[in-house]
Each structure stands twice: as structure tokens, then as C-alpha cells.
Amino acid sequence: MKRTIAVISAGLRQPSSTRMLADRLADAVRRELERLGAEVDVELIELRDHAHDLVNNLLVGYPSEELERVQEIVLRSDALVAVTPTFSGSYNGIFKMFVDVLDDTALVDKPVLVAATGGTGRHSLVLEHALRPLFSYLRAVVVPTAVFAAPEDWGAGDAAQSSLGRRIDRAAGELAREVDRRDPPTVTDPFEDPTSFERLLGGQ
């Protein structure tokens, strides 16, 4: 069975530790799903590439063609991996803008893995105080293990790498199992069976 995993990275710089974490999570989720027998497509979305479109969407009320394509990827995906840098103890602005322009029902019952990066391990509380409540509000199914990466997790040394690696593998396994037990998402096209003008005019 073919599965699609949408991965959003809200890093603002290049290179970005947020993108590095997103890539590692995506690779781990792919491995776990392939181990379960699935064929996997990973769709990586760099939010910095859509920053102007996100602002315009908020101002005018509708997305550009490219932003609409990105929203559709998230809507039709089997699961979402969402990674943000920590700004002022929470997710950053571009991450929140993207969530704000998604359809209200886009994430209902969708498995989600949340992750974040920050300048110190003390910022890891962003996962439970900001990200998990946000996706719970949107009625997504957030897997138990969230992943935070501080600068020391990227440093030299097997201990740091293995600690982050274990967290990534555990979270990826949880997401893969959640996806595996579900049917692929079905998305209804509102224009597939439109109401005719005759019925609209007749009040039927």
C-alpha cells in the first residue's frame, strides 16, 4: 500500500538545524513504514519558501496556486511530521501562519509527530506547552513521543547522537504504526457533485 508523509519544516536559515531534524525524522518514518510493507512518498515542505504567499493569504483570504498545492499535500497525506524552531518559548510565526491558513478540518484524525529545535534543552517544554495543545485543538492524533533537539544533540560524541537517534526512532515507530493501522485518507471534492442551478433556483 502506498503512503504519503507530509513533512513541514519552519526553519528560517540555510542550513537549518530544524531542516536537519525534519530530514532525520522523515528518513526514520520512511524506514519504519517500509519495514511494515508500505511504499512511501515523503513530501518535504520548507515553509520559508512560501513566506510571502502565507502573508498574502492572510491579507486577501485565499491562497496562491503554489500555496494551495502545498495545503493539498497536507490534506491528502497519511500523516504529518511538523518541525519548528523555538521562538520566545513557542513555535515561530511562519509555522503558526501555515497552520492558520489550513482548512479547519485538514488535520482531523490525522496522525502527527511534533518536533522542535532550540538553543537550549530548557526549551524542550515547547513540545508539551505549545505544539501538542495546538494539534490537539485541531483534532489531530499526536503520537506520544515528541522530539526536541538542542545544540548539544548535534555535537560530537556517540552519546549525544545515540540519545537523539533513540528518540527519533521511537517517535517514528509510533507514527508508522498509527499510519499502518488506518485506511488511506479519503478527500471529498466539493465540486465533484455540485448542486444544479435548477435546484438552487427551485429551492430544492
Side-chain angles (χ1 to χ4, degrees), residues 195-204:
T195 303
S196 68
F197 283 114
E198 289 80 7
R199 288 181 61 191
L200 288 171
L201 293 173
Q204 299 177 357

Side-chain angles (χ1 to χ4, degrees), residues 99-162:
V99 172
D100 284 345
V101 302
L102 286 175
D103 185 270
D104 291 344
T105 61
L107 300 179
V108 172
D109 203 37
K110 190 180 296 293
V112 174
L113 190 167
V114 295
T117 57
T120 169
R122 294 192 302 273
H123 288 157
S124 63
L125 290 174
V126 68
L127 296 168
E128 304 303 327
H129 289 179
L131 283 167
R132 194 177 296 276
L134 172 66
F135 285 101
S136 295
Y137 171 78
L138 295 169
R139 294 174 286 166
V141 178
V142 186
V143 299
T145 301
V147 179
F148 185 86
E152 55 266 27
D153 291 308
W154 304 110
D158 293 339
Q161 286 296 313
S162 62

